Amino acid sequence: MDRLDPDVVRSAGDYLRTWLPFRQRYLRVPGLQAALMHGDTLELELACGFADIAGDVALHTDHRFRVASHSKMFTATAIMVLWDAGRLRLDDRVADHVRALAGSPVADVTLRELLSHAGGVIRDGDSADFWQLQGHFLTEAELLRVAREEGAVTEANQRFKYSNIGYGLLGLVIEAVTGGSYADVVTGTVVTPLRLSATGPEPGPDVDLATGYSALAYADERVPIAHFDTRAMAAATGFYSTAGDLVRFAAAHFDDAPSVLSAAARRQMRHAWWEVPHVPDQRYGFGLDVVKVGERSTVGHGGGYPGHITRTLWDPTAGLAVSVLTNAIDGPAAELARGMVRTVDLAAAQEADPGLSAQAAASFSGRYANLWGVLDVVALGGRLLGVDPTLSHPGEAYRTLTMVDDSTLSITDDVGFGAAGEQMTFRRRPDGSVEEVHGGGGLTWWPIEQFSLPSEGVRAPVAEPHHRAD
């Protein structure tokens, strides 16, 4: 897709400042952190909800999250830095560097195959209950044992076969090639040059992590989940970061952006090498998902760590990146990240209303409620739209609104069984603020902060006595 107009992205960011906190409360997520980058401009960085519910600690933008499989983006980038420098080849066998794997069933798996999850390597080993806090993540010796004894599951290059063990082995390759520790090398080649001050391969005790929480699928209340080290699997799942740092990392993968990688290396990483089975519109490159969001092709990664679910997406051609971090094991980070991209694209799809000034747009904009739900009137791409913030993204269903006068909007288009052709009348107070909105199906709406239901429940009106006319 074409490059995006900065004003269009800014209008989407302005709306996302209210949409994301609404979604956090509506979906009952403990805390949410999000960021939006366009070009070299951080258009949005916010946090809402709680970093620690019991301690009544509000979540801030500098709280760190365990971003889990986002680690694969950093590991793949470090490998490609070494590739750019001529220190390894993508068709090197893993045993060429990790000598302890010589003669094992995985010895001939190539770095290219490990990067793209095509090596047929086991996902986490036969005993992986460390993912639910039973036992510990694998040490280097344990990782090598699993790779030797359990590692080969399918033949290489048969299909996409996701493997945390495989990325753990890439961490060992980095150590073998450089002679340094994985943590030091990835920090020195990727994290520090990109100035990611809130990011690292494994958090120490001084890192201010948001508390993670269990899911509501199997209990009525969430319980906190303790953090623990990922040891030799850090290259697959150990990283911590913030949403702001993750979109800064993404920006280093934009076309023509300053980067630690050559343009050729960036193209290799985001090439769609393998289709992800049974997942529509999703393929995999080197440490990057290749995902279709609406009509936009994006790359990025998600992460699932006990208590933290996270997602980052970017379009390298358009220079757009979003990241959403949640501190619950059922957190809807992927849905929200996609919703952010779809909001930008909804704004970009609008034909600006030439009769609508910024001041007029602001006078109508707001969140309104009645018994049936919530309606946001919002300016996106220079046009007023009516959207339902309870939906997964604003473009899922919306009404197009045109200004008639200072107190009236015409519904020029509406979805399904809506109220196209009707009007919405805004009754204002002396200071110009909205007191109520009437129309769009004949209903009245009130600013959400003023709307409340009676504590005794909603009762039907008492019928007026009916008198027969003589």
Side-chain angles (χ1 to χ4, degrees):
M1 298 180 76
D2 296 334
R3 299 290 289 188
L4 290 160
D5 183 275
D7 290 337
V8 166
V9 180
R10 193 168 301 116
S11 73
D14 288 343
Y15 178 54
L16 291 170
R17 282 186 178 85
T18 71
W19 183 77
L20 286 163
F22 178 90
R23 298 292 291 168
Q24 177 260 325
R25 292 190 299 272
Y26 180 73
L27 297 173
R28 303 298 188 261
V29 183
L32 179 155
Q33 196 182 88
L36 167 68
M37 177 78 81
H38 182 223
D40 59 0
T41 301
L42 185 64
E43 290 287 357
L44 169 71
E45 186 177 19
L46 65 77
C48 51
F50 291 93
D52 180 358
I53 297 171
D56 196 29
V57 178
L59 184 68
H60 296 293
T61 55
D62 56 357
H63 276 110
R64 276 63 156 179
F65 284 69
R66 300 299 298 252
V67 296
S69 286
H70 279 81
S71 307
K72 296 177 178 68
M73 305 189 310
F74 291 93
T75 299
T77 300
I79 288 282
M80 297 308 289
V81 168
L82 297 174
W83 178 80
D84 270 335
R87 300 183 68 179
L88 52 73
R89 298 177 307 137
L90 296 179
D91 291 322
D92 287 348
R93 304 178 317 136
V94 65
D96 293 339
H97 301 288
V98 184
R99 306 294 186 186
L101 296 178
S104 73
V106 300
D108 293 335
V109 175
T110 67
L111 305 189
R112 183 189 306 276
E113 291 160 354
L114 291 178
L115 286 165
S116 60
H117 296 292
V121 179
I122 196 168
R123 191 186 196 280
D124 291 284
D126 287 339
S127 299
D129 279 333
F130 45 80
W131 278 113
Q132 51 183 344
L133 286 75
Q134 298 180 27
H136 59 260
F137 272 85
L138 303 181
T139 64
E140 179 177 338
E142 291 167 336
L143 173 64
L144 290 169
R145 182 197 62 77
V146 169
R148 287 192 299 261
E149 298 176 9
E150 307 167 12
V153 177
T154 66
E155 293 292 328
N157 295 306
Q158 278 193 346
R159 56 166 285 161
F160 175 82
K161 174 70 182 71
Y162 194 75
S163 175
N164 285 316
I165 297 298
Y167 263 78
L169 296 179
L170 286 171
L172 298 184
V173 169
I174 289 170
E175 293 185 341
V177 170
T178 64
S181 71
Y182 169 78
D184 287 346
V185 174
V186 76
T187 299
T189 60
V190 182
V191 176
T192 299
L194 296 182
R195 300 180 180 179
L196 306 179
S197 59
T199 300
E202 188 85 75
D206 58 332
V207 174
D208 192 10
L209 290 165
T211 301
Y213 292 91
S214 63
L216 294 176
Y218 41 71
D220 293 333
E221 295 183 0
R222 300 185 187 276
V223 299
I225 300 176
H227 293 281
F228 50 98
D229 289 346
T230 57
R231 301 189 180 195
M233 295 180 72
T237 193
F239 262 75
Y240 66 90
S241 191
T242 63
D245 260 15
L246 287 171
V247 293
R248 292 182 188 96
F249 171 85
H253 285 261
F254 291 168
D255 291 346
D256 304 321
S259 177
V260 296
L261 293 178
S262 68
R266 281 177 275 175
R267 286 194 297 270
Q268 289 258 24
M269 284 187 67
R270 70 187 194 227
H271 181 76
W273 297 104
W274 286 92
E275 181 178 323
V276 179
H278 311 298
V279 182
D281 296 324
Q282 187 163 346
R283 297 174 73 86
Y284 204 87
F286 290 169
L288 295 177
D289 289 317
V290 183
V291 183
K292 197 80 174 290
V293 180
E295 296 303 312
R296 185 175 297 281
S297 180
T298 69
V299 296
H301 220 290
Y305 179 91
H308 287 177
I309 301 294
T310 54
R311 192 67 165 105
T312 301
L313 296 168
W314 68 87
D315 179 343
T317 303
L320 175 73
V322 303
S323 185
V324 177
L325 315 182
T326 62
N327 60 338
I329 207 166
D330 56 357
E335 173 190 330
L336 294 169
R338 288 170 177 266
M340 292 177 72
V341 173
R342 297 297 291 268
T343 300
V344 172
D345 286 343
L346 178 62
Q350 301 309 307
E351 184 177 343
D353 182 352
L356 182 69
S357 68
Q359 182 178 3
S363 75
F364 288 107
S365 296
R367 179 162 291 142
Y368 306 100
N370 65 20
L371 179 64
W372 285 91
V374 180
L375 175 71
D376 284 352
V377 176
V378 56
L380 286 173
R383 176 166 290 279
L384 284 172
L385 303 177
V387 303
D388 181 349
T390 68
L391 300 179
S392 61
H393 63 84
E396 190 173 341
Y398 64 94
R399 55 181 57 171
T400 305
L401 306 171
T402 301
M403 181 175 166
V404 177
D405 56 41
D406 291 346
S407 297
T408 311
L409 297 177
S410 173
I411 304 172
T412 50
D413 194 17
D414 206 349
V415 66
F417 296 90
E422 301 181 25
Q423 292 188 338
M424 298 173 62
T425 302
F426 289 66
R427 196 172 104 193
R428 301 184 184 276
R429 300 183 183 86
D431 65 359
S433 62
V434 176
E435 184 171 3
E436 66 179 35
V437 182
H438 185 77
L443 299 178
T444 301
W445 304 79
W446 294 267
I448 194 168
E449 64 273 10
Q450 299 167 25
F451 178 75
S452 62
L453 295 172
S455 58
E456 69 275 10
V458 180
R459 301 178 183 277
V462 177
E464 292 291 337
H466 179 71
H467 300 285
R468 188 181 66 185
D470 293 330

